[in-house]
């Protein structure tokens, strides 16, 4: 008997666009699709991710990961950093260090984790921990593609560090086709950017 190749699993895409109220594209917005009924469905298992420190900044500014992901925090500056978070979704601290800590940090609880550095006040970053494996981050053009979703009904949400109002207020139902793509445009309000102004730290040579 001849063995027939298995048919590829049917999957659809979401082509998301996020703009502000002036019609401008919004970068660094996280778009999440949660299957109806709350089940997360199939997806890539959580693995490893990386939140770098370069030129006294967190890179990337926004890092979306799936719950259960372990994140490395390499320090590629020639000075030391002290990374911490007091967020309910994950509280942790990496005392003053250079290079890469031996053990990554596990992010097991969905939510937003705000990162800071005890030495450099302007260093702020965000890790968005998703309960769903279906998510993507918008680029400078405000667009993101969530690919390979099983066809069906989903709830689509958008989050951004400067989102005006709650993430739940952005939720909308969306039907994803078994094959092909569906477009989803979202308009969000943005609050002012209150990040601390970048400046040298007097008396902290070597930090």
């Amino acid at each position: 008997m001849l063995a027939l190749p298995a048919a590829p699993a049917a999957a659809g895409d979401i082509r998301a666009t996020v703009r502000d109220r002036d019609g401008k594209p919004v970068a660094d917005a996280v778009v999440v699709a949660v299957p109806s009924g709350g089940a997360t469905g199939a997806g890539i298992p959580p693995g490893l991710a990386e939140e770098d420190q370069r030129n006294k900044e967190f890179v990337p500014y926004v890092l979306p990961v799936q719950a259960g992901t372990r994140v490395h925090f390499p320090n590629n500056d020639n000075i030391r950093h002290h990374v911490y978070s007091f967020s309910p979704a994950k509280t942790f601290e990496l005392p003053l260090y250079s290079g890469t800590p031996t053990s990554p940090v596990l992010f097991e609880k969905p939510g937003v984790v705000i990162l800071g550095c005890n030495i450099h006040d302007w260093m702020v970053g965000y890790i968005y921990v998703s309960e769903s494996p279906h998510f993507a981050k918008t680029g400078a053009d405000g667009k993101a593609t969530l690919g390979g979703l099983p066809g069906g009904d989903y709830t689509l949400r958008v989050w951004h560090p400067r989102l005006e109002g709650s993430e739940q207020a952005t939720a909308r139902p969306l039907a994803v086709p078994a094959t092909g793509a569906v477009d989803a445009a979202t308009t969000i309000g943005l609050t002012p950017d209150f990040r601390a102004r970048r400046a040298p730290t007097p008396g902290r040579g070597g930090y």
Side-chain angles (χ1 to χ4, degrees):
M1 297 179 63
L2 295 176
L4 299 177
D13 296 342
I14 299 175
R15 295 185 301 217
T17 302
V18 181
R19 297 186 180 91
D20 65 17
R21 288 176 179 155
D22 294 325
K24 297 178 181 178
V26 176
D28 290 320
V30 181
V31 183
V32 182
V34 180
S36 292
T40 57
I44 299 174
L48 287 170
E50 188 173 283
E51 180 69 41
D52 203 348
Q53 294 150 78
R54 276 185 260 143
N55 192 27
K56 301 177 186 177
E57 300 285 358
F58 287 110
V59 180
Y61 175 52
V62 174
L63 174 66
V65 299
Q66 184 181 350
T69 298
R70 296 179 184 273
V71 179
H72 281 291
F73 288 85
N75 176 3
N76 282 297
D77 283 334
N78 60 0
I79 56 176
R80 290 182 287 174
H81 292 300
H82 185 132
V83 179
Y84 70 92
S85 174
F86 297 132
S87 301
K90 186 67 179 184
T91 298
F92 72 98
E93 187 173 10
L94 300 175
L96 205 61
Y97 72 97
S98 298
T100 302
T102 303
S103 300
V105 178
L106 174 63
F107 290 82
E108 64 270 61
K109 183 179 178 180
V112 176
V113 180
I114 305 174
L115 306 173
C117 174
N118 259 347
I119 309 303
H120 307 102
D121 292 341
W122 67 83
M123 284 182 65
V124 177
Y126 297 85
I127 295 181
Y128 180 97
V129 187
S130 171
E131 80 273 32
S132 169
H134 310 301
F135 58 86
K137 185 177 72 172
T138 59
D141 59 358
K143 295 181 179 181
T145 298
L146 289 69
L149 284 74
D153 295 326
Y154 289 78
T155 297
L156 195 73
R157 302 194 313 263
V158 174
W159 175 86
H160 187 270
R162 293 168 48 206
L163 178 66
E164 185 179 85
S166 71
E167 177 186 348
Q168 290 300 325
T170 71
R172 54 177 285 197
L174 186 70
V176 176
T179 56
V182 59
D183 293 323
T186 304
T187 299
I188 61 174
L190 297 177
T191 61
D193 192 346
F194 290 119
R195 277 182 286 179
R197 183 178 178 182
R198 180 171 177 141
T201 307
R204 296 284 182 91
Y207 295 92

